């Protein structure tokens, strides 16, 4: 076994009469043995070793034993952090406040989600729409699905009359779902459960049945085997799943990895959007008022992201980035819907558009440097007003049914817990509907946006949040978070865990990297495939900015990200191990040569490319793939890899192999550990209890390796050994 003896020179100076340093207790880490196997792949005549290939078999007793031994080592280390329980207690206390979602009407009832405070899963309540909201009763409680909260509620979809509910559940965090069908009046399950469903919505046609999507169950492990042939089915109430009608997909000559189907609000059209990758889709419609009507092609290529967001009779309103990188809305008649007949309805602007509809209006939500601006338009394309938001931050939830007179939207930023506002659609007035009663005072914190230059001179925004009055002395514990991929925009939002971090004097910085969607398709594409290094350069430049401006220094900097952000952390720490003290890659895509061989990973090729594309792409991926760039003789930062054993989106083998490489090659005293959550997946539906425990472990690990033997809020001075 390889041993790691942490330096006893991690010191903290207590404010005392003698002002003498006290030594931190040393922690000896005995890494479990991880065997190496002689596995070699050949890419364009180049041999690449893969010694930990055996860890990809999530069903093997050897992998199970490895997981148990790694967790024993990791939790043995975490148990010795003196303030770990204190962090957990504070997280628990701050988390324990009532959280209520926006109300929505279905049939005769108004529904809302609510969590009393520490419930593992949100509960759905309801009341008669003409009754007092105080009469609300529990409608569906996912906490009763399983005692430990590891079976969670996925999506919900009500029939058009609101009398029937289809809802999905996830077991152990898996993307594979089951769908149950309930009579909302009696709350009874009225049919057999639909099984083996993945990456699916549930869209009702009238009150007769609904459309959903899934794959054939893979051979081998359902948590890691490739799934790349998506299909759309129609389930008619009162029939067996085996009788469900295949609507689209399933032909080998036309393979799509993701296919989504939705019915327009008036039940007239079925809209199908097949995708080969996570970006770009084809677009088809079917007139459901005509028996055996054919699918009509609107777009037969995947060069844009386009979807129908509304219709008035045969007039279609299409949101698209075809020849409009920042999105626009066009109109066209369904009788001849191809792009040469499109007419601009809400033209493209310099800001990214994300529209919704409600109450007979369009709400054009724009991102302006990653914060929200909302404009209201009528159905003739006339600007009605700009919606006055409560502040600078993120607003969302402007969708509603056509007949609704009001809607409820949420507002948040990094220092403002999410609040709900009721909006009068006709006169444009907002009033506060729900404000959380939380033990956190936003007035004690500040959040500001800065712009810095990346390696190639590109200007990149970053929002930095912390307590007011901190001293810029380079000694503030700082977490730098990023994502940078898949057209995902990271907009300001409040986090209980980040609030606890900032209470300790910590700084939380979020960089809006290329690869995301903050500035539209061009910004996204600038961080994909052969330009992926731009994302890492943007992140490195963000860290350098924080150090240059003395917010922090390398001894007090942690970098954090999950999924594609886990790749970001893995690539950054292997390229610049000197830049940070702590690295926190979560559920990361870390083996860039094999990611596309697992589950739906091949669908990520738009962002990454694959090692099979060509020699140049292979060499580029290998050049930054974290698993393949851990080198002997390098001192890497203290690293806590986190993953879930049921993650079937980014399979845990990525994290397993990266941790094994680090443990084998790490030089110096910094620990390299992996924390593997059992009965957990990629993150969605994770029980509150598990989230609190994991957050306490991550913060404890981070602060301890920055040299704190007591929480920063309890000491004013600190030194490094």
């Amino acid at each position: 076994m390889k041993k790691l003896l942490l330096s006893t020179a991690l010191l903290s100076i207590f404010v005392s009469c003698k002002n003498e340093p006290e030594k931190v207790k040393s922690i000896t880490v005995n890494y479990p043995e991880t065997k190496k196997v002689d596995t070699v792949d050949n890419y364009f005549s180049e041999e690449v070793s893969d010694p930990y290939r055996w860890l990809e078999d999530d069903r093997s007793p050897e992998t199970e034993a490895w997981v148990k031994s790694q967790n024993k080592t990791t939790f043995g280390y975490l148990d010795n952090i003196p303030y770990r329980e204190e962090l957990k207690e504070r997280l628990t206390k701050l988390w324990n406040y009532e959280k209520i979602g926006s109300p929505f009407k279905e049939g005769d009832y108004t529904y809302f989600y609510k969590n009393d405070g520490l419930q593992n899963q949100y509960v759905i309540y309801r009341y008669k729409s003409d009754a007092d909201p105080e009469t609300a009763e529990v409608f569906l409680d996912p906490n009763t699905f399983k005692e430990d909260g590891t079976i969670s509620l996925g999506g919900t979809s009500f029939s058009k009359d609101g009398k029937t509910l289809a809802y999905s559940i996830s077991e152990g965090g898996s993307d594979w779902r089951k769908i149950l069908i309930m009579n909302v009046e009696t709350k009874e399950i009225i049919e057999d459960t639909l099984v083996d469903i993945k990456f699916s919505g549930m869209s009702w046609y009238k009150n007769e049945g609904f459309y959903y999507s899934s794959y054939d169950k893979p051979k081998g492990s359902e948590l890691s085997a490739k799934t790349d042939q998506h299909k759309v089915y129609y389930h008619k109430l009162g029939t067996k799943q085996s009788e469900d009608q295949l609507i689209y997909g399933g032909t080998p000559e036309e393979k799509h990895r993701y296919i989504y189907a939705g019915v327009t609000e008036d039940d007239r059209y079925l809209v199908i959007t097949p995708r080969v990758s996570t970006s770009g889709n084809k677009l088809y419609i079917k007139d459901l008022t005509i028996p055996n009507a054919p699918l009509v092609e609107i777009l037969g290529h995947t060069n844009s992201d386009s979807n129908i967001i509304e219709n008035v009779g045969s007039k279609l309103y299409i949101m698209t980035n075809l020849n409009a990188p920042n999105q626009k809305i066009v109109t066209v008649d369904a009788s001849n819907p191809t792009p040469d007949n499109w007419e601009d309805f809400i033209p493209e602007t310099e800001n990214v558009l994300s529209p919704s509809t409600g109450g007979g209006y369009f709400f054009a939500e724009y991102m302006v440097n990653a914060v929200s601006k909302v404009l209201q338009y009528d159905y003739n394309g006339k600007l009605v007003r700009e919606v006055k938001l409560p502040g600078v931050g993120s607003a969302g939830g402007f969708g509603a049914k056509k007949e609704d007179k009001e809607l409820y939207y949420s507002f948040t930023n990094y220092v403002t817990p999410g609040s709900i506002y009721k909006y009068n659609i006709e006169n444009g007035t907002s009033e506060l509907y729900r404000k959380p009663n939380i033990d956190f005072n936003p007035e004690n914190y500040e959040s500001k946006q800065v712009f810095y230059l990346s390696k190639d001179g590109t200007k990149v925004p970053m929002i930095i949040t912390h307590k007011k009055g901190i001293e810029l002395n380079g000694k503030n514990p700082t977490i730098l978070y990023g994502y940078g991929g898949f057209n995902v925009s990271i907009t300001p939002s409040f986090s209980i865990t980040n609030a606890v971090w900032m209470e300790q004097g910590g700084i939380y910085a979020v960089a809006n990297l290329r690869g995301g969607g903050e500035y539209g398709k061009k910004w996204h594409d600038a961080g994909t495939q052969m330009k992926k290094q731009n994302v890492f350069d943007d992140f490195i430049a963000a860290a350098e900015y924080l150090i240059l401006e003395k917010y922090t220094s390398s001894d007090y900097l942690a970098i954090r990200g999950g999924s594609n952000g886990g790749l970001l952390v893995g690539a950054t720490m292997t390229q610049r191990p000197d830049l940070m003290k702590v690295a926190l890659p979560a559920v990361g895509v870390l083996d860039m040569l094999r990611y596309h061989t697992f589950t739906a990973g091949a669908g990520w090729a738009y962002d990454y490319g694959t090692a099979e594309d060509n020699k140049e792409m292979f060499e580029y991926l290998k050049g930054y793939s974290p698993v393949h760039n851990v080198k002997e003789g390098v001192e890497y930062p203290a690293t806590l890899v986190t993953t879930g054993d049921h993650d079937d989106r980014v399979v845990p083998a990525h994290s397993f192999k990266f941790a094994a490489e680090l443990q084998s090659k790490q030089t110096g005293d910094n620990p390299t550990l992996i924390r593997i959550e059992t009965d957990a997946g990629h993150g969605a539906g994770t029980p509150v209890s598990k989230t609190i425990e994991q957050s306490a472990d991550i913060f404890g690990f981070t602060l301890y390796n920055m040299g704190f033997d007591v929480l920063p809020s309890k000491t004013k001075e600190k030194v490094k050994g």
Side-chain angles (χ1 to χ4, degrees):
M1 289 188 178
K2 182 178 178 181
K3 291 188 177 182
L4 170 67
L5 180 62
L6 289 190
S7 171
T8 58
L10 289 172
L11 305 176
S12 176
I13 299 178
F14 292 102
V15 181
S16 65
C17 57
K18 293 184 179 180
N19 203 33
E20 293 180 355
E22 181 173 320
K23 293 183 178 180
V24 172
K25 178 184 177 183
S26 300
I27 304 176
T28 300
V29 180
N30 294 311
Y31 293 127
E33 293 284 356
T34 305
K35 73 174 182 178
K36 296 182 179 181
V37 295
D38 187 20
T39 304
V40 176
D41 292 314
N42 190 295
Y43 297 90
F44 303 98
S45 301
E46 180 177 336
E47 292 188 341
V48 179
S49 176
D50 191 4
Y52 303 115
R53 177 74 60 86
W54 63 275
L55 287 169
E56 294 179 2
D57 186 354
D58 56 85
R59 299 185 301 171
S60 79
E62 283 184 302
T63 300
E64 183 181 1
W66 185 88
V67 167
K68 288 180 179 178
S69 63
Q70 288 288 344
N71 270 345
K72 182 178 179 181
T73 298
T74 297
F75 287 106
Y77 178 96
L78 296 171
D79 286 343
N80 281 282
I81 294 174
Y83 39 78
R84 179 188 179 206
E85 284 302 312
E86 195 173 346
L87 283 168
K88 182 179 176 182
E89 288 172 8
R90 179 55 185 154
L91 282 160
T92 301
K93 183 178 179 182
L94 191 59
W95 214 293
N96 193 14
Y97 70 92
E98 186 178 73
K99 308 165 191 70
I100 299 179
S102 300
F104 56 96
K105 295 179 181 179
E106 299 289 351
D108 297 331
Y109 292 92
T110 295
Y111 296 83
F112 60 91
Y113 286 79
K114 177 183 172 183
N115 190 307
D116 289 340
L118 295 174
Q119 290 175 290
N120 279 322
Q121 306 291 343
Y122 275 73
V123 178
I124 302 180
Y125 287 77
R126 74 173 180 187
Y127 58 92
K128 287 280 190 179
S129 294
D130 56 357
D132 186 337
E134 296 300 320
T135 64
E137 63 172 359
V138 173
F139 172 64
L140 182 62
D141 184 359
N143 296 290
T144 63
F145 295 169
K146 193 175 182 183
E147 187 175 350
D148 63 1
T150 57
I151 298 181
S152 60
L153 179 66
T156 60
S157 182
F158 288 84
S159 60
K160 296 300 173 75
D161 60 8
K163 294 182 178 180
T164 311
L165 169 69
Y167 68 91
S168 64
I169 61 172
S170 167
E171 297 170 306
S174 171
D175 281 331
W176 287 102
R177 305 292 169 92
K178 296 177 179 177
I179 293 178
L180 292 84
I181 302 169
M182 173 191 286
N183 178 312
V184 301
E185 203 61 50
T186 64
K187 303 181 189 177
E188 294 178 340
I189 303 301
I190 58 175
E191 292 196 7
D192 292 340
T193 299
L194 278 63
V195 298
D196 298 336
I197 293 162
K198 188 173 183 179
F199 296 154
S200 177
M202 297 163 285
S203 186
W204 285 84
Y205 173 61
K206 297 183 178 178
N207 308 304
E208 301 171 6
F210 56 87
Y211 295 88
Y212 68 93
S213 308
S214 194
Y215 305 89
D216 293 333
K217 200 68 174 286
K219 296 178 180 178
S221 170
E222 68 178 57
L223 295 178
S224 59
K226 180 181 283 192
T227 49
D228 63 354
Q229 181 67 289
H230 221 197
K231 304 175 184 179
V232 172
Y233 295 91
Y234 176 69
H235 177 74
K236 186 176 181 180
L237 292 185
T239 64
K240 297 182 180 298
Q241 185 178 5
S242 59
E243 300 170 5
D244 289 353
Q245 182 183 358
L246 176 63
I247 302 299
Y248 188 90
T251 57
E253 63 273 10
E254 193 174 28
K255 182 180 289 188
H256 297 99
R257 297 187 177 94
Y258 316 101
I259 310 175
Y260 298 101
V263 179
T264 56
E265 191 174 341
D266 63 358
D267 281 320
R268 179 160 181 178
Y269 295 106
L270 172 66
V271 182
I272 295 180
T273 55
R275 295 177 176 269
V276 176
S277 191
T278 50
S279 289
N281 63 273
K282 300 175 184 178
L283 181 60
Y284 301 94
I285 59 168
K286 179 178 182 178
D287 191 333
L288 297 176
T289 66
I290 301 174
N292 302 314
L295 277 178
V296 175
E297 179 181 286
I298 299 178
L299 286 170
H301 59 74
T302 58
N303 298 334
S304 71
D305 295 283
S306 301
N307 199 7
I308 297 170
I309 60 170
E310 180 61 294
N311 72 295
V312 177
S314 64
K315 185 178 182 179
L316 308 177
Y317 294 81
I318 301 174
M319 178 184 70
T320 183
N321 60 11
L322 183 65
N323 302 319
N326 289 341
Q327 304 260 47
K328 65 180 179 179
I329 301 177
V330 299
T331 59
V332 71
D333 192 271
S335 62
N336 199 1
T338 53
D340 52 335
N341 296 305
W342 290 1
E343 295 181 3
D344 282 2
F345 175 69
I346 298 180
E348 181 189 22
T349 71
E350 62 182 357
N351 300 310
V352 180
L353 169 66
S354 179
S356 55
T357 63
Y361 292 91
F362 285 84
F363 292 89
E365 301 174 48
Y366 290 98
M367 273 187 296
V368 183
N369 293 324
V371 298
S372 293
K373 176 181 179 179
V374 182
L375 302 179
Q376 183 175 347
Y377 290 87
D378 66 20
Y379 272 58
N380 295 315
K382 178 184 176 183
L383 175 63
V384 177
R385 64 178 64 90
E386 178 176 349
V387 178
K388 185 175 175 57
L389 299 176
V392 177
S394 303
F398 283 88
K401 292 184 171 68
K402 277 185 180 178
E403 66 269 18
D404 288 344
K405 302 300 181 184
E406 58 194 21
L407 57 77
Y408 297 83
Y409 70 88
S410 62
F411 179 82
T412 183
N413 57 37
Y414 290 118
V415 298
T416 305
S419 298
I420 299 171
Y421 291 81
K422 181 161 67 172
Y423 181 76
N424 185 300
I425 296 173
E426 282 300 324
N427 65 31
T429 58
S430 291
E431 61 179 270
L432 182 64
Y433 177 75
R434 294 279 186 183
K435 181 180 180 180
N437 183 19
I438 180 174
D439 183 22
F440 178 85
N441 185 2
E443 296 301 317
N444 296 334
Y445 298 83
E446 61 180 312
S447 190
K448 70 175 182 178
Q449 187 173 61
V450 301
F451 293 85
Y452 64 90
L453 297 182
S454 190
K455 182 178 180 180
D456 63 358
T458 298
K459 189 168 71 171
V460 182
M462 174 166 58
I463 296 180
I464 305 170
T465 310
H466 52 73
K467 275 185 178 178
K468 290 179 178 177
I470 65 164
E471 183 181 354
L472 299 185
N473 59 6
K475 295 184 178 181
N476 300 298
T478 299
I479 290 177
L480 172 61
Y481 176 87
Y483 188 79
F486 295 91
N487 202 37
V488 172
S489 301
I490 307 298
T491 56
S493 64
F494 182 78
S495 160
I496 297 169
T497 55
N498 292 336
V500 170
W501 174 258
M502 292 187 294
E503 281 182 341
Q504 296 304 319
I507 293 173
Y508 184 67
V510 178
N512 295 106
L513 315 171
R514 280 176 284 185
E518 291 86 351
Y519 295 106
K521 186 171 175 58
K522 290 181 180 178
W523 191 254
H524 174 209
D525 287 347
T528 60
Q529 296 195 27
M530 302 291 284
K531 298 177 183 177
K532 189 66 179 176
Q533 184 61 40
N534 286 338
V535 185
F536 314 140
D537 289 342
D538 289 355
F539 202 51
I540 290 168
E544 291 174 336
Y545 176 92
L546 293 168
I547 293 169
L548 179 66
E549 298 296 322
K550 296 194 178 300
Y551 284 96
T552 191
S553 62
S554 292
D555 284 336
Y556 298 99
L557 177 64
I559 58 173
R560 186 176 186 183
S563 195
N564 175 73
L567 163 62
L568 172 69
V569 172
T572 302
M573 65 177 282
T574 51
Q575 292 182 16
R576 287 292 305 277
D578 60 303
L579 192 57
M580 73 295 297
K581 184 60 181 176
V582 178
L584 303 166
V587 293
V589 187
L590 298 162
D591 183 344
M592 299 309 297
L593 301 187
R594 287 181 56 75
Y595 78 86
H596 60 291
T597 66
F598 304 111
T599 62
W604 311 336
Y606 182 94
D607 265 59
Y608 298 145
T610 76
E612 298 169 358
D613 289 347
N614 52 62
K615 189 174 189 293
E616 185 182 22
M617 192 73 249
F618 153 68
E619 290 175 343
Y620 191 86
L621 288 166
K622 183 171 178 287
Y624 73 78
S625 175
V627 165
H628 299 92
N629 282 279
V630 180
K631 296 178 173 60
E632 295 275 7
V634 175
E635 183 171 8
Y636 292 100
T639 304
L640 181 61
V641 181
T642 52
T643 189
D645 67 346
H646 277 62
D647 190 344
D648 48 4
R649 193 171 308 174
V650 180
V651 295
H654 285 276
S655 295
F656 295 172
K657 292 162 77 171
F658 187 54
E661 290 284 354
L662 284 169
Q663 290 178 358
S664 173
K665 297 174 180 176
Q666 169 74 300
T667 297
D669 293 337
N670 293 328
T672 53
L673 303 171
I674 181 168
R675 185 188 188 281
I676 306 155
E677 192 72 72
T678 56
D679 284 330
H682 200 59
T686 301
V688 165
S689 57
K690 286 180 179 284
T691 300
I692 289 173
E693 290 170 1
Q694 186 181 82
S695 298
D697 289 348
I698 288 171
F699 288 162
F701 178 89
T702 299
L703 291 169
Y704 195 77
N705 282 283
M706 289 177 175
F708 295 93
D709 63 350
V710 295
L711 287 175
S713 59
K714 296 186 177 182
T715 182
K716 295 181 179 179
E717 299 181 63
K718 45 200 178 294
V719 297
K720 301 302 295 180

